[in-house]
């Protein structure tokens, strides 16, 4: 990422930076690609550039620990560039790129390709995630050491779980030698069976096969036990159930190296929304939208820190892959451009504090994955999001920056929007004036 040499003043905004404990109107000074200063009063040189942030929030750039960029191999859904463009439009200055591409990222060649594409795009920072198993087949460990050397910051077979307990044990032991977390999609496929939505009254009413919450809970419980056995680090992807919350809470209480993320859709929606949508396949993802009780549990767990961070599980799919019956539609929805407004609704409902929301999008993922950023302390990368918490906008899929359109928020009025995004001090996104 080239660093801007200009001096930039972001003035008049409410700086919310949980990492350094700042919440108040401040001026943020960026210089040489870094945060130079955050202060109430700063003398501004005549030639400095200024962004007027009055009425807005100024936060560290968001970090999304779970994004599917689809390159290489499925560029018709998304590319590193279009995904990075969607990221910065949503206030995200860094994303972790999941390895279930075609071919999967189980080789240094794929890791280097993703990094090269991200550098060419010059938008968000992209951190590749390497495979746990070769070809994500769940049989043999990938060359995790080489992938780590090449720039992978974590390992995952996401898209599918690591079904073999033996392989998961060895993966935790191997990754422990270089301190990287395993980011794991927790579903017991034998319990999932042919389930396409949460098992419960809504599925029964709709006549759709159910995927029980326990499919997630048993795998999280297994992996907590394996962390205890190995001393490895587990990061639970897209946690969606009350049972998994209990398992993570218990693991943390016992001092185990277990962290977790939750996706905006699991915070916002339930299986009743699948019913209300009339089987809309943009409400289909894995894990599925859960019950109201599960949603309440993940909200409370995010608020109290049991769930560490918010990650979108941005999963672009083409229209033809979604314009089919619910049973056969691919899993996954877009997340990058709607995450802030979807999560801000929780703040308005009183389910989440503003500072905790920002922390879960910034400092928490930086800490888990050992990334620069997530803070506006002097010397941090000049990665900044400027957000208008009151901006109303209509989610028009045609106007999203992602290559795909699969969002359950299509046509909905959203509140809260990113207006500017800076990466390394460069203004990589600015909302058009007509849209503000
Ligand atoms: Zn997953
Ligand atoms: Zn995923």
């Amino acid at each position: 990422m080239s660093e801007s040499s200009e001096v930039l003043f972001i003035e008049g905004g409410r700086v919310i930076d949980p990492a350094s404990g700042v919440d108040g109107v401040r001026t943020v000074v960026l210089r040489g690609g870094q945060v130079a200063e955050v202060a109430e009063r700063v003398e501004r040189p005549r030639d400095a550039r200024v962004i007027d942030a009055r009425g807005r929030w100024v936060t560290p750039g968001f970090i999304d620990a779970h994004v599917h960029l689809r390159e290489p191999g499925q560029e018709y859904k998304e590319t590193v560039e279009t995904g990075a463009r969607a990221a910065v439009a949503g206030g995200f200055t860094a994303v972790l790129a999941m390895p279930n591409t075609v071919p999967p990222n189980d080789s240094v060649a794929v890791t280097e390709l993703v990094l090269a594409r991200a550098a060419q795009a010059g938008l968000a920072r992209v951190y590749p995630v390497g495979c746990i198993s070769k070809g994500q087949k769940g049989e043999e460990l990938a060359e995790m050491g080489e992938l780590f050397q090449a720039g992978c910051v974590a390992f995952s077979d996401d898209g599918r779980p690591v079904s073999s307990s033996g392989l998961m044990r060895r993966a935790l032991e191997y990754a422990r030698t270089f301190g990287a977390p395993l980011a794991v999609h927790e579903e017991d496929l034998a319990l999932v069976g042919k389930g396409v939505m949460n098992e419960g009254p809504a599925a029964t009413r709709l006549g759709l096969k159910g995927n029980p919450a326990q499919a997630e809970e048993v795998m999280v419980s297994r992996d907590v036990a394996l962390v205890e056995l190995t001393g490895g680090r587990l990061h639970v992807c897209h946690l969606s159930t009350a049972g998994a919350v209990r398992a993570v809470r218990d693991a943390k209480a016992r001092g185990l190296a277990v962290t977790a993320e939750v996706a905006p859709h699991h915070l916002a929606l339930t299986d009743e929304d699948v019913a209300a949508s009339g089987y809309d396949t943009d409400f289909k993802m894995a894990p599925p939208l859960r019950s109201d009780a599960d949603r309440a549990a993940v909200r409370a767990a995010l608020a109290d820190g049991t769930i560490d961070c918010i990650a979108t599980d941005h999963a672009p799919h083409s229209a033809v892959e979604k314009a089919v019956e619910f049973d056969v539609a691919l899993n996954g929805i877009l997340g990058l451009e709607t995450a802030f407004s979807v999560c801000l609704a929780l703040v308005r409902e009183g389910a989440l504090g503003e500072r905790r929301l920002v922390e879960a999008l910034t400092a928490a993922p930086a800490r888990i994955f050992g990334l620069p950023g997530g803070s506006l302390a002097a010397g941090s990368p000049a990665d900044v999001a400027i957000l208008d918490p009151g901006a109303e906008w209509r989610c028009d899929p045609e106007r999203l920056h992602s290559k795909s359109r699969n969002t359950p928020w299509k046509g909905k009025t959203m509140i809260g929007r990113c207006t500017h995004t800076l990466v390394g001090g460069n203004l990589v996104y600015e909302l058009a004036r007509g849209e503000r």
Side-chain angles (χ1 to χ4, degrees):
M1 193 73 44
S2 68
E3 314 292 358
S4 174
S5 54
E6 262 184 331
V7 180
L8 180 69
F9 278 58
I10 302 170
E11 293 185 343
R14 173 182 167 196
V15 174
I16 307 178
D17 180 23
S20 51
V22 175
D23 182 359
V25 175
R26 300 282 191 282
T27 296
V28 177
V29 184
L30 307 178
R31 184 186 297 121
Q34 295 188 330
V35 178
E37 191 178 2
V38 176
E40 282 182 53
R41 238 172 266 284
V42 193
E43 202 67 37
R44 170 171 15 116
R46 272 180 173 220
D47 57 347
R49 282 185 60 206
V50 181
I51 295 177
D52 178 0
R54 280 176 297 177
R56 311 226 178 91
W57 290 4
V58 180
T59 71
F62 298 161
I63 299 172
D64 192 339
H66 193 137
V67 167
H68 297 274
L69 295 177
R70 307 301 190 199
E71 189 176 1
Q74 296 182 313
E75 289 85 352
Y76 65 97
K77 298 180 195 238
E78 195 79 289
T79 64
V80 172
E81 181 179 354
T82 59
R85 202 170 287 289
V88 296
F92 290 90
T93 55
V95 299
L96 268 61
M98 283 298 177
N100 61 336
T101 47
V102 184
N105 187 3
D106 61 0
S107 72
V108 169
V110 174
T111 300
E112 286 178 345
L113 179 126
V114 171
L115 287 170
R117 290 282 187 274
Q120 278 165 11
L123 297 162
R125 299 177 200 268
V126 176
Y127 297 102
V129 176
C131 291
I132 291 174
S133 68
K134 285 184 185 158
Q136 297 194 306
K137 292 196 170 82
E139 293 161 4
E140 253 182 287
L141 286 185
E143 298 292 349
M144 291 158 64
E146 282 177 22
L147 293 168
F148 186 73
Q149 287 296 324
C152 289
V153 299
F155 296 91
S156 181
D157 273 0
D158 185 56
R160 54 183 79 168
V162 179
S163 292
S164 160
S165 308
L167 190 79
M168 186 64 186
R169 174 193 184 163
R170 290 200 300 284
L172 283 162
E173 285 169 346
Y174 188 10
R176 193 188 64 161
T177 60
F178 36 90
L182 299 190
V184 184
H185 178 116
E186 302 286 34
E187 282 191 308
D188 181 325
L189 295 181
L191 278 177
V192 171
K194 292 195 165 72
V196 294
M197 71 176 284
N198 184 53
E199 184 170 314
T204 305
R205 249 180 19 248
L206 294 175
L208 290 171
K209 287 223 163 57
N211 166 355
Q214 284 74 7
E216 176 172 289
E217 185 181 345
V218 297
M219 288 294 272
V220 173
S221 300
R222 180 202 74 173
D223 288 342
V224 166
L226 293 176
V227 166
E228 192 161 24
L229 179 64
T230 60
R233 289 182 61 196
L234 174 72
H235 178 71
V236 178
C237 291
H238 41 54
L239 191 156
S240 70
T241 68
V245 165
R246 282 194 301 272
V248 169
R249 189 172 281 140
D250 176 58
K252 288 188 165 189
R254 290 191 289 140
L256 299 174
V258 175
T259 54
E261 69 190 29
V262 62
H265 46 269
H266 290 127
L267 291 165
L269 304 171
T270 70
D271 53 0
E272 289 296 342
D273 291 297
V274 178
S277 76
Y279 306 88
D280 182 342
T281 57
D282 288 340
F283 288 75
K284 184 182 179 190
M285 68 290 289
L289 297 172
R290 299 294 189 182
S291 70
D292 196 45
D294 289 312
R295 178 175 65 176
V298 296
R299 284 179 170 201
L302 177 64
D304 74 17
T306 301
I307 293 176
D308 300 81
C309 65
I310 295 167
T312 66
D313 197 6
H314 179 83
H317 290 300
S318 72
V320 293
E321 291 161 327
K322 282 292 197 181
V324 292
E325 295 89 69
F326 199 87
D327 278 350
V328 293
L330 293 184
N331 283 313
I333 60 166
L334 303 182
L336 287 164
E337 296 176 71
T338 48
F340 175 63
S341 47
V342 169
C343 295
L344 192 62
L346 268 61
V347 172
R348 285 194 305 276
E349 289 174 36
L352 193 63
E354 292 168 331
R355 288 189 291 272
R356 176 67 191 124
L357 167 65
V358 174
E359 183 183 42
L361 286 164
T362 60
R367 169 176 51 79
I368 294 166
F369 296 96
L371 307 176
S375 166
L376 294 177
S380 300
D383 295 1
V384 184
I386 304 177
L387 309 142
D388 183 343
E392 270 193 28
W393 58 287
R394 194 175 152 274
C395 179
D396 176 356
E398 298 303 319
R399 302 191 72 169
L400 296 177
H401 296 78
S402 170
K403 234 182 193 185
S404 291
R405 304 282 173 263
N406 49 315
T407 170
W409 284 284
K410 53 185 174 285
K412 291 273 186 312
T413 297
M414 318 292 285
I415 303 176
R417 197 171 199 188
C418 175
T419 62
H420 300 74
T421 306
L422 296 112
V423 175
N426 296 303
L427 185 63
V428 290
Y429 174 75
E430 182 172 7
L431 182 64
R433 283 198 183 275
E435 297 202 51
R436 279 188 236 162

